[in-house]
């Protein structure tokens, strides 16, 4: 992911980065979790703002779209090896939505366009809708500045 490349591979600023999306019929959350040393919080905030802004402001390149589609296909194949995930999948399909086959889901993932990603990023990553939580010994003023920078459009 862009976050992993920028925060870990290129800069070595965080120990771990994870992003997840939880959706419901009428609401949801997109979360980014970072494991970072307190003295690196400010630098991480600047990189995070740049990566998220890039997703909002710039179309994903064709080569990155190809990697995204490949990763989605491989991830979907790997899910089929996890009995717990499959039980949750089929149960959720029956209880909460019109059931889709895994093939239909794969086709849907592969049909996603760069424009659709940008529209979604503009909505989900709107700085005015973001909130953040910090856990640990980081300096409160630094964390406040970082959160303030992430929630501004400038």
């Amino acid at each position: 992911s862009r976050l992993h490349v920028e925060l870990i591979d290129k800069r070595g600023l965080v120990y771990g980065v994870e992003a997840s999306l939880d959706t419901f019929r009428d609401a949801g959350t997109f979360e980014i979790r970072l494991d970072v040393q307190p003295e690196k919080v400010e630098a991480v905030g600047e990189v995070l703002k740049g990566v998220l802004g890039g997703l909002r402001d710039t179309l994903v390149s064709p080569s990155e779209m190809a990697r995204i589609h490949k990763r989605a296909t491989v991830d979907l194949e790997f899910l089929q090896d996890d009995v717990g995930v499959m039980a949750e999948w089929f149960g959720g399909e029956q209880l909460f939505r019109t059931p889709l086959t895994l093939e239909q889901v794969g086709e849907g993932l592969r049909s996603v366009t760069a424009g659709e990603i940008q529209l979604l990023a503009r909505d989900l990553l709107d700085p005015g809708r973001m909130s953040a939580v910090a856990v640990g010994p980081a300096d409160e003023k630094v964390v406040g500045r970082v959160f303030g920078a992430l929630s501004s459009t400038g």
Side-chain angles (χ1 to χ4, degrees):
S1 79
R2 287 183 183 190
L3 290 173
H4 191 281
V5 168
E6 293 298 327
L7 292 169
I8 296 175
D9 297 343
K10 286 186 179 178
R11 295 177 173 86
L13 290 172
V14 302
Y15 298 115
V17 58
E18 234 180 278
S20 65
L21 177 67
D22 290 319
T23 60
F24 305 97
R25 186 175 301 272
D26 61 345
T29 61
F30 174 70
E31 298 176 11
I32 299 171
R33 289 178 291 286
L34 305 167
D35 303 321
V36 59
Q37 292 178 329
E39 61 272 12
K40 295 184 179 181
V41 167
E42 207 151 12
V44 167
E46 287 302 313
V47 174
L48 189 59
K49 184 175 181 178
V51 170
L52 300 181
L55 283 168
R56 285 190 310 265
D57 302 336
T58 308
L59 281 174
V60 174
S61 71
S63 63
E64 189 172 6
M65 284 303 301
R67 287 192 308 274
I68 290 168
H69 289 145
K70 176 71 172 173
R71 172 77 186 264
T73 299
V74 169
D75 285 350
L76 192 58
E77 290 172 7
F78 282 144
L79 289 177
Q80 296 175 59
D81 292 332
D82 188 322
V83 174
V85 168
M86 288 287 85
E88 185 178 333
W89 166 266
F90 288 114
E93 287 297 292
Q94 292 297 319
L95 292 172
F96 302 117
R97 56 195 153 267
T98 303
L100 298 174
T101 66
L102 292 173
E103 291 78 19
Q104 289 171 314
V105 172
E107 289 170 14
L109 291 171
R110 288 184 295 277
S111 72
V112 172
T113 67
E116 290 170 328
I117 290 175
Q118 186 178 36
L119 284 172
L120 186 60
R122 286 179 177 166
D123 185 35
L124 289 179
L125 305 176
D126 175 358
R129 296 178 60 195
M130 289 187 192
S131 60
V133 174
V135 177
D139 181 281
E140 194 172 313
K141 290 179 183 176
V142 170
V143 171
R145 282 196 309 273
V146 170
F147 289 172
L150 287 174
S151 65
S152 70
T153 56

